[in-house]
């Protein structure tokens, strides 16, 4: 016995009680259709199990129905760095949010890694050939050239994090300075008076803003100087920086680490030096990632809603693909203090 034939547009139209042309317009999003009709067609698609022919749809819409997810500024030249990237909670949460937001639209992400100028050219050529409709650019570094290169070949992009200088590209970011102030205010509120800080790489605007907010917060609480050691947003760098700060400021009683991984490393170093957390030293991290929840003690942290920020990047890009006319925009999320045992 032969298998049942796949459902067709005509089958969907019959179930929905509309014309084949109306079904085509809803599926291909080529014209405005009343919302109530769109909903009827969507229910009919679900009822019939109809799956659009992607090749045919692309001919109508002139879109590939794919989006490039470009991770820039990450050195993956050896397997160690590649492994760290693949397991990094920051990138993992962003990619989870992106995939979750794209899936309901039937759009596939293509992951691309940009480590150097040659990669930038290859990625630009990929977009120029029509393999993806637009780009979600994930980079914490400010000097990315890819948005302008993609704009030159007619492909819109939305980037994670504010660029160093204004340009015609939409972006999503966090109010990092407010998060740093929040950390200082909380530590001061629990009676700490000898603060230190472990920053992220200071060429990154987010790291600069978090530290500036922390220092501003402590200045308002009568502490004009905060000893600082620079880390690299990794566990090992947090451990190293904490040991350095213990040598320079042995009477410290409060630590703000600009990422949860660094906070986790700092807690390890404090334990090695016989300091109890939070009894002797209170620790606040940043991100509210898995290390903050799984660490013992759990890490009080400043939440960065990465999944929601990623979904907003997707929304901005898809809106731009549907209507290229609006000017670029920015969306800034607010940080939230999440209390756990470390402070």
């Amino acid at each position: 016995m032969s298998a049942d034939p796949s459902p067709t547009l005509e089958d969907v139209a019959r179930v929905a009680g509309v014309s084949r042309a109306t079904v085509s317009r809803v599926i291909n999003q080529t014209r405005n259709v009343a919302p109530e009709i769109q909903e009827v067609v969507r229910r009919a698609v679900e009822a019939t199990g109809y799956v659009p022919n992607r090749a045919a749809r692309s001919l109508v819409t002139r879109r590939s129905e794919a989006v490039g997810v470009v991770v820039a500024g990450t050195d993956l030249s050896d397997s160690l760095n590649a492994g760290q990237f693949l397991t990094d909670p920051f990138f993992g949460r962003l990619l989870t949010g992106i995939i979750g937001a794209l899936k309901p639209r039937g759009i596939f992400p293509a992951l691309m890694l940009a480590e150097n100028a040659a990669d930038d050219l290859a990625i630009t050529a990929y977009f120029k050939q029509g393999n993806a409709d637009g780009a979600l650019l994930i980079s914490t570094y400010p000097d990315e050239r890819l948005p302008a290169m993609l704009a030159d070949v007619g492909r819109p992009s939305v980037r994670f994090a504010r660029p160093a200088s204004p340009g015609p590209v939409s972006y999503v970011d966090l109010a990092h300075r407010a998060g740093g102030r929040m950390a200082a205010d909380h530590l001061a509120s629990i009676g700490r008076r000898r603060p230190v800080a472990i920053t992220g790489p200071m060429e990154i605007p987010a790291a600069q803003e978090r530290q500036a907010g922390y220092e501003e917060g402590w200045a308002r609480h009568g502490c004009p100087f905060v000893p600082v050691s620079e880390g690299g947003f990794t566990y090992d760098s947090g451990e190293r920086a904490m040991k350095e700060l213990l040598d320079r400021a042995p009477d410290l009683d409060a630590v703000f680490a600009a990422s949860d991984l660094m906070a986790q490393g700092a807690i390890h170093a404090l334990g090695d030096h016989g300091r109890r957390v939070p009894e002797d030293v209170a620790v606040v991290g940043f991100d509210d990632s898995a290390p903050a929840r799984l660490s013992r003690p759990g890490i009080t942290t400043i939440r960065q809603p990465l999944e929601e920020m990623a979904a907003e990047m997707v929304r901005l890009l898809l809106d731009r693909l549907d209507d290229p006319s609006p000017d670029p925009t920015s969306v800034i999320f607010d940080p939230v203090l999440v209390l756990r045992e470390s402070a």
Side-chain angles (χ1 to χ4, degrees):
M1 181 181 296
S2 61
D4 293 336
S6 299
T8 64
L9 279 179
E10 287 78 8
D11 296 326
V12 177
R14 185 176 62 255
V15 172
V18 299
S19 70
R20 183 186 187 282
T22 297
V23 173
S24 178
R25 286 197 293 271
V26 172
I27 290 174
N28 292 318
Q29 301 176 356
T30 54
R31 292 187 188 177
N32 290 329
V33 179
E36 60 272 17
I37 299 298
Q38 293 183 40
E39 183 58 30
V40 168
V41 172
R42 291 192 189 101
R43 288 201 298 267
V45 167
E46 184 176 348
T48 60
Y50 174 74
V51 178
N53 183 308
R54 286 198 166 271
R57 181 175 174 179
S58 294
L59 288 173
V60 174
T61 63
R62 298 186 181 277
R63 283 168 54 172
S64 67
E65 302 301 326
V67 163
V69 180
V70 183
V71 180
T74 301
D75 180 8
L76 302 180
S77 57
D78 60 54
S79 59
L80 176 61
N81 286 335
Q84 289 175 340
F85 161 72
L86 292 172
T87 59
D88 186 280
F90 172 85
F91 291 110
R93 288 175 62 197
L94 277 178
L95 292 174
T96 297
I98 287 170
I99 292 169
L102 288 174
K103 186 176 180 181
R105 291 287 296 267
I107 297 175
F108 296 97
L111 180 62
M112 304 173 219
L113 307 177
E115 303 173 43
N116 50 48
D119 289 340
D120 291 348
L121 291 172
I123 289 169
T124 304
Y126 181 89
F127 281 95
K128 188 175 182 179
Q129 293 162 7
N131 296 308
D133 300 315
L136 299 166
L137 178 59
I138 301 174
S139 176
T140 54
Y141 287 83
D143 57 350
E144 274 308 317
R145 298 162 295 179
L146 271 172
M149 295 172 69
L150 292 172
D152 288 342
V153 298
R155 293 294 183 268
S157 64
V158 176
R159 64 169 290 156
F160 181 88
R162 173 177 58 88
S165 57
V169 60
S170 295
Y171 67 88
V172 172
D173 207 344
L174 186 81
H176 297 280
R177 188 174 294 240
R181 287 196 299 267
M182 202 174 285
D185 290 343
H186 174 66
L187 289 167
S189 75
I190 59 174
R192 306 304 163 125
R193 291 294 179 268
R194 296 180 296 281
V196 299
I198 301 173
T199 74
M202 290 304 284
E203 68 269 26
I204 297 177
Q208 298 169 14
E209 289 292 297
R210 292 174 193 180
Q211 182 60 22
Y214 186 64
E215 292 177 354
E216 289 171 4
W218 275 111
R220 290 204 308 270
H221 294 290
C223 181
F225 174 68
V226 176
V228 173
S229 182
E230 184 174 337
F233 288 143
T234 64
Y235 178 98
D236 290 342
S237 69
E239 185 177 20
R240 174 196 54 74
M242 189 71 258
K243 291 176 180 177
E244 178 185 324
L245 287 166
L246 283 165
D247 289 339
R248 289 166 47 198
D251 61 343
L252 62 88
D253 67 358
V255 179
F256 171 52
S259 79
D260 293 332
L261 277 175
M262 292 195 301
Q264 195 176 41
I267 289 172
H268 188 181
L270 288 165
D272 285 348
H273 283 70
R275 305 295 180 90
R276 300 168 300 165
V277 176
E279 292 86 354
D280 302 322
V281 181
V283 178
V284 174
F286 205 107
D287 285 333
D288 192 28
S289 58
R293 297 189 298 273
L294 300 177
S295 177
R296 293 294 178 268
I299 299 172
T300 290
T301 187
I302 307 301
R303 176 167 173 76
Q304 181 171 206
L306 292 176
E307 295 84 356
E308 294 91 335
M309 295 168 77
E312 185 65 15
M313 290 174 66
V314 170
R315 186 191 70 79
L316 291 176
L317 182 61
L318 296 185
D319 284 353
R320 180 56 56 88
L321 291 173
D322 290 339
D323 181 4
S325 60
D327 292 332
T329 188
S330 58
V331 179
I332 308 298
F333 283 74
D334 292 322
V336 177
L337 176 67
V338 179
L339 296 176
R340 294 193 179 93
E341 295 81 17
S342 70

